[in-house]
Amino acid sequence: MGHVYYHYPGDKQFSLYFVNPDPNRIVSEIIYDDDVAMEMRQCDLDEEFYVVYTSRVGGGAVKDLDFSLTDALERMEPDTGVIVTRFLEIYRGTVK
């Protein structure tokens, strides 16, 4: 028995996006966006099907981002800001 991998074999930056046995459905799922790269595999377990993987491209290094978290939190609804702040605190606690 074969496997359908969540990450594209050979390049872990690509994650599973869509699976279907119909090549026409695969074509309809193709994303025409400069920020998305796609890979496709033809597989055969008990029947032939196609697997599409996608990855976001570009963006540059995190250190080059021009982003103010304080400004972003101030623009959020108060309840949303509290939730985001709690998530960030949890994240900070897990990476220490």
Side-chain angles (χ1 to χ4, degrees), residues 27-43:
V27 170
S28 73
E29 290 296 321
I30 291 175
I31 300 171
Y32 296 98
D33 186 335
D34 291 340
D35 292 338
V36 177
M38 297 185 77
E39 292 286 347
M40 187 188 80
R41 290 188 68 165
Q42 183 177 356
C43 299

PDB file of all heavy atoms in Angstrom, residues 27-43:
ATOM      1  N   VAL A  27      -7.387  20.562 -12.454  1.00  0.00           N
ATOM      2  CA  VAL A  27      -7.156  21.783 -13.232  1.00  0.00           C
ATOM      3  C   VAL A  27      -8.006  22.926 -12.670  1.00  0.00           C
ATOM      4  O   VAL A  27      -7.541  24.062 -12.574  1.00  0.00           O
ATOM      5  CB  VAL A  27      -7.463  21.549 -14.728  1.00  0.00           C
ATOM      6  CG1 VAL A  27      -7.460  22.848 -15.502  1.00  0.00           C
ATOM      7  CG2 VAL A  27      -6.460  20.567 -15.319  1.00  0.00           C
ATOM      8  N   SER A  28      -9.228  22.646 -12.249  1.00  0.00           N
ATOM      9  CA  SER A  28     -10.092  23.708 -11.709  1.00  0.00           C
ATOM     10  C   SER A  28      -9.602  24.223 -10.363  1.00  0.00           C
ATOM     11  O   SER A  28      -9.982  25.310  -9.945  1.00  0.00           O
ATOM     12  CB  SER A  28     -11.533  23.209 -11.586  1.00  0.00           C
ATOM     13  OG  SER A  28     -11.671  22.300 -10.520  1.00  0.00           O
ATOM     14  N   GLU A  29      -8.763  23.468  -9.681  1.00  0.00           N
ATOM     15  CA  GLU A  29      -8.245  23.878  -8.375  1.00  0.00           C
ATOM     16  C   GLU A  29      -6.911  24.619  -8.462  1.00  0.00           C
ATOM     17  O   GLU A  29      -6.395  25.067  -7.445  1.00  0.00           O
ATOM     18  CB  GLU A  29      -8.075  22.662  -7.461  1.00  0.00           C
ATOM     19  CG  GLU A  29      -9.375  22.048  -7.019  1.00  0.00           C
ATOM     20  CD  GLU A  29     -10.202  22.984  -6.152  1.00  0.00           C
ATOM     21  OE1 GLU A  29      -9.634  23.708  -5.320  1.00  0.00           O
ATOM     22  OE2 GLU A  29     -11.428  22.979  -6.313  1.00  0.00           O
ATOM     23  N   ILE A  30      -6.357  24.736  -9.646  1.00  0.00           N
ATOM     24  CA  ILE A  30      -5.073  25.408  -9.794  1.00  0.00           C
ATOM     25  C   ILE A  30      -5.221  26.874  -9.386  1.00  0.00           C
ATOM     26  O   ILE A  30      -6.167  27.553  -9.776  1.00  0.00           O
ATOM     27  CB  ILE A  30      -4.541  25.296 -11.236  1.00  0.00           C
ATOM     28  CG1 ILE A  30      -4.162  23.841 -11.505  1.00  0.00           C
ATOM     29  CG2 ILE A  30      -3.353  26.217 -11.462  1.00  0.00           C
ATOM     30  CD1 ILE A  30      -3.727  23.565 -12.923  1.00  0.00           C
ATOM     31  N   ILE A  31      -4.291  27.323  -8.588  1.00  0.00           N
ATOM     32  CA  ILE A  31      -4.309  28.697  -8.077  1.00  0.00           C
ATOM     33  C   ILE A  31      -3.371  29.543  -8.930  1.00  0.00           C
ATOM     34  O   ILE A  31      -2.192  29.239  -9.052  1.00  0.00           O
ATOM     35  CB  ILE A  31      -3.841  28.734  -6.608  1.00  0.00           C
ATOM     36  CG1 ILE A  31      -4.766  27.885  -5.750  1.00  0.00           C
ATOM     37  CG2 ILE A  31      -3.771  30.168  -6.093  1.00  0.00           C
ATOM     38  CD1 ILE A  31      -4.260  27.677  -4.339  1.00  0.00           C
ATOM     39  N   TYR A  32      -3.912  30.590  -9.520  1.00  0.00           N
ATOM     40  CA  TYR A  32      -3.104  31.510 -10.305  1.00  0.00           C
ATOM     41  C   TYR A  32      -2.830  32.740  -9.455  1.00  0.00           C
ATOM     42  O   TYR A  32      -3.540  33.722  -9.499  1.00  0.00           O
ATOM     43  CB  TYR A  32      -3.823  31.882 -11.602  1.00  0.00           C
ATOM     44  CG  TYR A  32      -4.027  30.703 -12.510  1.00  0.00           C
ATOM     45  CD1 TYR A  32      -5.232  30.023 -12.554  1.00  0.00           C
ATOM     46  CD2 TYR A  32      -2.987  30.247 -13.314  1.00  0.00           C
ATOM     47  CE1 TYR A  32      -5.401  28.925 -13.379  1.00  0.00           C
ATOM     48  CE2 TYR A  32      -3.149  29.157 -14.141  1.00  0.00           C
ATOM     49  CZ  TYR A  32      -4.361  28.498 -14.172  1.00  0.00           C
ATOM     50  OH  TYR A  32      -4.521  27.405 -14.989  1.00  0.00           O
ATOM     51  N   ASP A  33      -1.809  32.637  -8.633  1.00  0.00           N
ATOM     52  CA  ASP A  33      -1.475  33.689  -7.688  1.00  0.00           C
ATOM     53  C   ASP A  33       0.043  33.726  -7.556  1.00  0.00           C
ATOM     54  O   ASP A  33       0.673  32.692  -7.351  1.00  0.00           O
ATOM     55  CB  ASP A  33      -2.135  33.368  -6.337  1.00  0.00           C
ATOM     56  CG  ASP A  33      -1.975  34.476  -5.316  1.00  0.00           C
ATOM     57  OD1 ASP A  33      -1.021  35.268  -5.422  1.00  0.00           O
ATOM     58  OD2 ASP A  33      -2.797  34.530  -4.387  1.00  0.00           O
ATOM     59  N   ASP A  34       0.618  34.909  -7.648  1.00  0.00           N
ATOM     60  CA  ASP A  34       2.077  35.033  -7.555  1.00  0.00           C
ATOM     61  C   ASP A  34       2.622  34.612  -6.197  1.00  0.00           C
ATOM     62  O   ASP A  34       3.798  34.325  -6.066  1.00  0.00           O
ATOM     63  CB  ASP A  34       2.507  36.475  -7.847  1.00  0.00           C
ATOM     64  CG  ASP A  34       2.300  36.855  -9.304  1.00  0.00           C
ATOM     65  OD1 ASP A  34       2.188  35.941 -10.143  1.00  0.00           O
ATOM     66  OD2 ASP A  34       2.250  38.059  -9.598  1.00  0.00           O
ATOM     67  N   ASP A  35       1.777  34.594  -5.162  1.00  0.00           N
ATOM     68  CA  ASP A  35       2.229  34.252  -3.814  1.00  0.00           C
ATOM     69  C   ASP A  35       2.122  32.759  -3.503  1.00  0.00           C
ATOM     70  O   ASP A  35       2.436  32.336  -2.413  1.00  0.00           O
ATOM     71  CB  ASP A  35       1.417  35.024  -2.771  1.00  0.00           C
ATOM     72  CG  ASP A  35       1.708  36.504  -2.808  1.00  0.00           C
ATOM     73  OD1 ASP A  35       2.779  36.891  -3.312  1.00  0.00           O
ATOM     74  OD2 ASP A  35       0.870  37.288  -2.347  1.00  0.00           O
ATOM     75  N   VAL A  36       1.619  31.957  -4.459  1.00  0.00           N
ATOM     76  CA  VAL A  36       1.424  30.533  -4.205  1.00  0.00           C
ATOM     77  C   VAL A  36       2.159  29.717  -5.259  1.00  0.00           C
ATOM     78  O   VAL A  36       2.008  29.949  -6.451  1.00  0.00           O
ATOM     79  CB  VAL A  36      -0.079  30.165  -4.231  1.00  0.00           C
ATOM     80  CG1 VAL A  36      -0.273  28.673  -4.034  1.00  0.00           C
ATOM     81  CG2 VAL A  36      -0.848  30.933  -3.172  1.00  0.00           C
ATOM     82  N   ALA A  37       2.966  28.778  -4.794  1.00  0.00           N
ATOM     83  CA  ALA A  37       3.610  27.818  -5.689  1.00  0.00           C
ATOM     84  C   ALA A  37       2.878  26.487  -5.537  1.00  0.00           C
ATOM     85  O   ALA A  37       2.364  26.175  -4.462  1.00  0.00           O
ATOM     86  CB  ALA A  37       5.079  27.657  -5.330  1.00  0.00           C
ATOM     87  N   MET A  38       2.809  25.710  -6.614  1.00  0.00           N
ATOM     88  CA  MET A  38       2.087  24.441  -6.574  1.00  0.00           C
ATOM     89  C   MET A  38       2.952  23.310  -7.101  1.00  0.00           C
ATOM     90  O   MET A  38       3.778  23.515  -7.979  1.00  0.00           O
ATOM     91  CB  MET A  38       0.810  24.525  -7.413  1.00  0.00           C
ATOM     92  CG  MET A  38      -0.189  25.531  -6.913  1.00  0.00           C
ATOM     93  SD  MET A  38      -1.715  25.506  -7.841  1.00  0.00           S
ATOM     94  CE  MET A  38      -2.476  24.056  -7.165  1.00  0.00           C
ATOM     95  N   GLU A  39       2.733  22.125  -6.563  1.00  0.00           N
ATOM     96  CA  GLU A  39       3.330  20.892  -7.053  1.00  0.00           C
ATOM     97  C   GLU A  39       2.193  19.880  -7.160  1.00  0.00           C
ATOM     98  O   GLU A  39       1.237  19.923  -6.389  1.00  0.00           O
ATOM     99  CB  GLU A  39       4.394  20.354  -6.088  1.00  0.00           C
ATOM    100  CG  GLU A  39       5.627  21.203  -5.981  1.00  0.00           C
ATOM    101  CD  GLU A  39       6.522  21.094  -7.204  1.00  0.00           C
ATOM    102  OE1 GLU A  39       6.338  20.186  -8.029  1.00  0.00           O
ATOM    103  OE2 GLU A  39       7.420  21.945  -7.330  1.00  0.00           O
ATOM    104  N   MET A  40       2.287  18.954  -8.123  1.00  0.00           N
ATOM    105  CA  MET A  40       1.259  17.947  -8.281  1.00  0.00           C
ATOM    106  C   MET A  40       1.913  16.587  -8.437  1.00  0.00           C
ATOM    107  O   MET A  40       2.980  16.474  -9.039  1.00  0.00           O
ATOM    108  CB  MET A  40       0.389  18.236  -9.495  1.00  0.00           C
ATOM    109  CG  MET A  40      -0.796  17.301  -9.599  1.00  0.00           C
ATOM    110  SD  MET A  40      -1.703  17.471 -11.130  1.00  0.00           S
ATOM    111  CE  MET A  40      -0.691  16.537 -12.238  1.00  0.00           C
ATOM    112  N   ARG A  41       1.268  15.560  -7.896  1.00  0.00           N
ATOM    113  CA  ARG A  41       1.737  14.180  -8.043  1.00  0.00           C
ATOM    114  C   ARG A  41       0.585  13.319  -8.518  1.00  0.00           C
ATOM    115  O   ARG A  41      -0.552  13.511  -8.103  1.00  0.00           O
ATOM    116  CB  ARG A  41       2.211  13.606  -6.715  1.00  0.00           C
ATOM    117  CG  ARG A  41       3.488  14.209  -6.220  1.00  0.00           C
ATOM    118  CD  ARG A  41       3.967  13.460  -5.034  1.00  0.00           C
ATOM    119  NE  ARG A  41       4.379  12.125  -5.490  1.00  0.00           N
ATOM    120  CZ  ARG A  41       5.106  11.296  -4.776  1.00  0.00           C
ATOM    121  NH1 ARG A  41       5.482  11.638  -3.580  1.00  0.00           N
ATOM    122  NH2 ARG A  41       5.446  10.132  -5.235  1.00  0.00           N
ATOM    123  N   GLN A  42       0.899  12.380  -9.368  1.00  0.00           N
ATOM    124  CA  GLN A  42      -0.065  11.372  -9.760  1.00  0.00           C
ATOM    125  C   GLN A  42       0.216  10.148  -8.896  1.00  0.00           C
ATOM    126  O   GLN A  42       1.362   9.709  -8.782  1.00  0.00           O
ATOM    127  CB  GLN A  42       0.099  11.034 -11.232  1.00  0.00           C
ATOM    128  CG  GLN A  42      -0.904  10.044 -11.747  1.00  0.00           C
ATOM    129  CD  GLN A  42      -0.733   9.805 -13.241  1.00  0.00           C
ATOM    130  OE1 GLN A  42       0.091  10.441 -13.895  1.00  0.00           O
ATOM    131  NE2 GLN A  42      -1.507   8.906 -13.770  1.00  0.00           N
ATOM    132  N   CYS A  43      -0.810   9.613  -8.233  1.00  0.00           N
ATOM    133  CA  CYS A  43      -0.641   8.481  -7.323  1.00  0.00           C
ATOM    134  C   CYS A  43      -1.549   7.338  -7.751  1.00  0.00           C
ATOM    135  O   CYS A  43      -2.536   7.537  -8.453  1.00  0.00           O
ATOM    136  CB  CYS A  43      -0.997   8.890  -5.890  1.00  0.00           C
ATOM    137  SG  CYS A  43       0.035  10.208  -5.236  1.00  0.00           S
TER     138      CYS A  43
END
